[in-house]
Structure formats: C-alpha cells, structure tokens
Amino acid sequence: MATSDLVLVTGAGGGTGGVSRIVLDLLLAQGVSVRAMVHRNDHRADELRALGAEVVVGDLTRPADVADALDGAARTYFSMSVSPDYLLAATVVATVAREHGDLDCLVDMSQMTVSQMTRHGLWSPVSPSPQTGTGRLST
C-alpha cells in the first residue's frame, strides 16, 4: 500500500472526451496531489502546471516512462485517445502497475472494446481483430 495520496492521471492534456481533465480538476479541487503524464511538453502541459499538477512527459507504450510516472503514486487513472497503440499502452500500464506493487488502485477508462479494434481502425466482421490476444496480457 502506498504512503502518499499522489494520483497519476494520463490523458489530461489530450481530448479523450475531456474526462481525464475533469478527473484532474476534481482531484486538485479536493487538495489531492496530481501528477499528469503527457505525451508532449507543449501549451497543454503548461496549462496543467498552472492548475497545480506536476507534469511528466512520457510515452505510455514505454515501460520505463510509465515506471517513472508511477514512482510515488498511490493511485492511477489511465485513459488515452483511441489509437493503434491503445491496447499496447493499456497492457504496458497494467503490467508496470502490477510490478510496481505500491498502487492502491488503477482505474482504466476504456474507449472501445478490444473486439472493436484493429491496428488499422475499427473491426469488421470480415477482418477479426489481431489485437484481441494482446488485451489478455493485461489481465
């Protein structure tokens, strides 16, 4: 069990329906320490800093970046825009979080089911998803 109240929030700088940003805003309003993991150090990252969030730049598909972002976090809210790397990122986050061992909670805001995704877009009945097996790695 973690000893801090730090919450890692992913996707707060992007446009995942704005849910991560709402989560970040609500946590900060309650006085909770928030670390936002962003993919780019740009004006959106500056906005998060101005709100009071600690910002780390990294790639959710790189285990070392995720491990660095998780360092000291008690809880994690994972969300990202649907992309070809979505399932890989979810698998990396879940695997690193499991190995991290200090998290009290990991929340995953899923955008699509695995059966709806392929590397090139939405699944169709004539082309089954090759990524279906990848999703099982995070369980």
Side-chain angles (χ1 to χ4, degrees):
M1 189 168 275
T3 58
S4 77
D5 70 343
L6 179 66
V7 178
L8 172 65
V9 176
T10 68
T16 313
V19 176
S20 292
R21 178 60 183 269
I22 292 168
V23 168
L24 181 135
D25 289 341
L26 289 170
L27 290 169
L28 289 172
Q30 294 177 33
V32 176
S33 300
V34 177
R35 177 180 295 148
M37 184 175 183
V38 299
H39 199 235
R40 291 176 190 84
N41 193 12
D42 57 17
H43 70 280
R44 294 170 296 179
D46 292 337
E47 290 173 12
L48 297 173
R49 287 184 190 97
L51 291 171
E54 174 190 348
V55 175
V56 294
V57 179
D59 186 328
L60 289 166
T61 65
R62 295 187 178 149
D65 289 357
V66 173
D68 288 345
L70 282 170
D71 188 40
R75 296 173 298 265
T76 298
Y77 177 84
F78 168 75
S79 181
M80 72 178 271
S81 299
V82 174
S83 74
D85 288 333
Y86 183 86
L87 291 176
L88 175 59
T91 302
V92 168
V93 169
T95 302
V96 173
R98 184 176 182 186
E99 293 299 317
H100 190 264
D102 290 336
L103 284 182
D104 295 335
C105 178
L106 170 63
V107 175
D108 176 11
M109 175 57 81
S110 180
Q111 301 299 309
M112 299 178 81
T113 64
V114 173
S115 63
Q116 293 174 303
M117 296 182 71
T118 71
R119 285 184 270 203
H120 305 292
L122 293 178
W123 172 83
S124 72
V126 294
S127 86
S129 171
Q131 294 186 346
T132 301
T134 307
R136 288 188 221 122
L137 295 175
S138 64
T139 58

